[in-house]
Amino acid sequence: MVADVLLWDFGDTLVDERWMRAPPVGCPTWEAAWLEVMAHSADRWNLGAVTSTQIFDALSVRTGMAREQVEAHARRCCEQLVFNETAWRVAKERWLPQALVTVNPDLFTDHVVPVHGLTAVFDVIVVSSAEGTDDKSELCDRALTRLGYSGPRSAALLIDNRGDLVNAWIDTGGAGYLFHNDEQFQTDLPHLLGAPGPI
């Protein structure tokens, strides 16, 4: 495959997306509370219609933790991401011009991005909550525009763990790779991108 630009997904592509499920000491009900709140609010949070403050308040009610404790724990979770070694290495080496294109809430932009220095890794970062849409293909289009990319759409490669999103991007004329796991990505990498070096 000949790719001119990379469009990286984040959760379960570059990192294990379960980072917010880790319970704080003394709160064994955290994960259940988190899943309950997300069932009701995740979509709106990812669209920017709900803020982190509102999510923290809801978690405080369900866990009995003080709101300040909830926020502190959420921030700690964001600091302790588990990166997929090969995918993250390739992203950090910046083999091609690249954007991070992710469906995530304001907590991601406010905390994950600066803590992990993502602006130094990606030329462009496009987050659904800031954009007001969770349509991955639309987010990819916005990323290409901000990258100043004017090449063939078929050379814009989306790397994502969700097959429906990869297929939707391919249906628009883009290129896609379905990320199953880091081991498979390492095996596929020579065929996917060849052996370029950092730009």
Side-chain angles (χ1 to χ4, degrees):
M1 175 180 295
V2 177
D4 292 334
V5 61
L6 301 180
L7 304 169
W8 289 95
D9 174 50
F10 195 71
D12 274 356
T13 299
L14 289 171
V15 302
D16 184 332
E17 70 176 7
R18 298 170 296 177
W19 70 82
M20 290 298 301
R21 297 191 186 188
V25 175
C27 185
T29 62
W30 171 270
E31 183 175 14
W34 172 259
L35 292 174
E36 181 184 352
V37 171
M38 289 302 98
H40 290 95
S41 304
D43 290 343
R44 290 182 296 140
W45 195 22
N46 286 334
L47 288 171
V50 171
T51 66
S52 291
T53 297
Q54 292 168 291
I55 296 296
F56 298 155
D57 286 342
L59 286 166
S60 176
V61 169
R62 285 164 176 78
T63 62
M65 295 170 62
R67 187 200 165 282
E68 294 76 13
Q69 292 176 309
V70 170
E71 180 174 2
H73 178 65
R75 291 182 176 273
R76 282 194 299 273
C77 288
C78 290
E79 293 164 6
Q80 297 170 0
L81 303 186
V82 177
F83 286 88
N84 289 322
E85 183 178 355
T86 302
W88 184 232
R89 173 181 60 79
V90 172
K92 287 196 300 180
E93 289 178 354
R94 298 170 56 88
W95 289 15
L96 293 167
Q98 61 185 3
L100 182 64
V101 184
T102 181
V103 175
N104 258 301
D106 56 354
L107 181 63
F108 180 87
T109 303
D110 294 344
H111 203 67
V112 173
V113 170
V115 164
H116 297 283
L118 299 186
T119 55
V121 177
F122 301 97
D123 302 299
V124 168
I125 297 175
V126 179
V127 183
S128 61
S129 56
E131 302 297 324
T133 180
D134 58 5
D135 183 319
K136 184 57 89 58
S137 293
E138 174 62 25
L139 295 172
C140 287
D141 278 331
R142 295 183 190 189
L144 293 179
T145 297
R146 292 170 198 175
L147 284 166
Y149 178 70
S150 58
R153 195 178 188 84
S154 59
L157 176 63
L158 172 64
I159 302 172
D160 199 299
N161 69 297
R162 282 184 50 181
D164 59 328
L165 302 182
V166 170
N167 289 334
W169 181 241
I170 291 171
D171 287 344
T172 72
Y177 172 79
L178 179 59
F179 186 94
H180 293 285
N181 55 62
D182 203 52
E183 293 75 18
Q184 187 65 51
F185 181 70
Q186 183 174 28
T187 298
D188 294 341
L189 190 56
H191 309 288
L192 183 65
L193 294 177
I199 60 173

